């Protein structure tokens, strides 16, 4: 960049200060803080990159395209936030590390309210294609005390890398919920998670291609765990050894959520006597919930 004159610098900084000052009368202190910080960071970006007018127009066109493809079923703005790591950073800020509580990760766009109750040992796959996978573990608090009656929501893509809602028919598969028993234990059948791309046929996909990034998510199973008095946990289980653990397109992988998948040969008896035709797998994943009080700003984090 060529040397900038004092006059030019003065014009640029004066503009930042004028915009910040324009928000001085904002009645709500938090809103004031947010718009002032947004102004400072946005102008810092413009000034650091020396954004051209053509680039400014391209950015406007990009955001317009993000808006146009967004509707009740597709949220391209959240996807943009996801691939920029903004979703994961917000989750990190708001789910403070608390003792050994299980870490949170992205929610993703494929959760659906009203999943079927499958019961303990039930089958979440519901006909989804894939290798049967037995998942079991406990839900405890940070003192190791079992949490009975915790609600576990489970959702996942099938072996073709698609969620039920992506088929455009009315199928319900790869999702369900159950509750822990009186010792905080849970178990269910699912399908072994496989990798799949995030929706990449829109502007966010273009951004990934233009920057040489992959749209693939590391294989995972989604879990949401809710219990009275505890912080709701939205997380994933990631199979160890997956090819995309280091390049997950939405930065959702946490080392503590990576688990061994124990492959079983077809003749190995299943834990509940279920007859499976081919190979199957099992995963163990113990979940630790933080107290509800462990919110941002509270002690213990
Ligand atoms: C998913 O886990 O399915 C997902 C998460 C973030 C963006 C897109 C998909
Ligand atoms: Fe997912």
């Amino acid at each position: 960049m060529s040397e900038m004159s004092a006059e030019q610098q003065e014009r640029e900084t004066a503009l930042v200060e004028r915009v910040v000052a324009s928000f001085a009368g904002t009645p709500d202190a938090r809103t004031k803080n947010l718009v002032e910080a947004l102004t400072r960071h946005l102008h810092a970006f413009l000034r650091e990159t020396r954004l051209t007018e053509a680039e400014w127009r391209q950015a406007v066109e990009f955001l317009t395209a993000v808006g146009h493809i967004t509707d009740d079923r597709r949220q391209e703005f959240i996807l943009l936030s996801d691939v920029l790591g903004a979703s994961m950073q917000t989750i990190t800020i708001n789910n403070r590390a608390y003792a050994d509580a299980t870490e949170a990760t992205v929610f993703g766009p494929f959760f659906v309210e009203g999943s079927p109750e499958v019961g303990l040992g039930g089958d979440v796959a519901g006909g989804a294609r894939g290798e049967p996978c037995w998942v079991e573990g406990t839900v405890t608090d940070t003192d190791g005390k079992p949490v009975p009656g915790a609600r576990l929501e489970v959702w996942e893509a099938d072996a073709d890398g698609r969620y039920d809602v992506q088929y455009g028919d009315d199928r319900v598969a790869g999702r369900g919920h159950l509750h822990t028993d009186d010792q905080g234990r849970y178990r269910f059948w699912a399908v072994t998670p496989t990798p799949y791309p995030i929706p990449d046929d829109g502007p966010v996909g273009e951004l990934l291609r233009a920057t040489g990034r992959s749209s693939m998510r590391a294989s995972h199973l989604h879990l949401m765990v809710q219990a009275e008095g505890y912080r709701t946990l939205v997380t994933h289980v990631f199979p160890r050894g997956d090819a995309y653990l280091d390049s997950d397109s939405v930065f959702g992988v946490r080392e503590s959520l990576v688990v061994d998948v124990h492959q079983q040969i077809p003749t190995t008896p299943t834990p509940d006597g279920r007859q499976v035709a081919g190979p199957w797998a099992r995963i163990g994943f113990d979940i630790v919930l933080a107290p509800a009080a462990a919110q941002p700003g509270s002690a213990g984090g």
Side-chain angles (χ1 to χ4, degrees), residues 107-289:
F107 196 58
F110 299 119
F111 174 75
V112 177
E113 293 283 355
S115 72
E117 170 139 29
V118 299
L120 275 171
D123 187 9
V124 161
R129 218 176 68 74
E131 178 186 72
C133 182
W134 176 256
V135 185
E136 65 186 347
T138 55
V139 179
T140 60
D141 67 12
T142 51
D143 294 325
K145 195 160 84 32
V147 180
R151 179 184 169 114
L152 263 80
E153 283 279 355
V154 184
W155 65 108
E156 65 171 341
D158 62 17
D160 298 311
R162 296 170 91 182
Y163 286 82
D164 53 0
V165 289
Q166 294 179 288
Y167 281 96
D169 51 23
D170 288 337
R171 77 182 69 183
V172 177
R175 66 180 72 246
H177 70 272
L178 59 151
H179 294 86
T180 52
D181 67 13
D182 54 6
Q183 290 169 70
R185 293 176 305 200
Y186 75 86
R187 52 195 171 273
F188 58 86
W189 282 102
V191 294
T192 306
T194 51
Y196 64 87
I198 62 169
D200 60 2
D201 56 343
V204 169
E206 267 174 55
L207 174 69
L208 293 178
R209 282 184 290 281
T211 52
R213 277 178 52 183
S214 161
S215 57
M216 293 302 286
R217 287 229 56 205
S219 304
H220 61 274
L221 177 83
H222 292 259
L223 285 172
M224 177 161 68
V225 189
Q226 295 166 296
E228 189 71 33
Y230 295 93
R231 187 166 77 184
T232 293
L233 172 68
V234 174
T235 196
H236 293 1
V237 176
F238 295 97
R240 198 178 306 287
D242 187 84
Y244 300 99
L245 285 176
D246 293 331
S247 61
D248 184 41
S249 52
V250 301
F251 307 95
V253 179
R254 311 266 210 190
E255 179 51 36
S256 66
L257 305 177
V258 178
V259 300
D260 292 319
V261 176
H262 302 281
Q263 293 295 335
Q264 312 290 321
I265 56 170
T267 50
T268 312
T270 57
D272 62 349
R274 176 183 171 184
Q275 299 294 316
V276 293
W280 58 284
R282 62 191 300 165
I283 287 176
F285 185 62
D286 291 337
I287 296 162
V288 180
L289 297 181

Side-chain angles (χ1 to χ4, degrees), residues 9-19:
Q9 285 204 37
E10 157 61 24
R11 284 188 193 181
E12 292 177 12
T13 53
L15 179 58
V16 180
E17 293 315 319
R18 275 182 56 206
V19 181

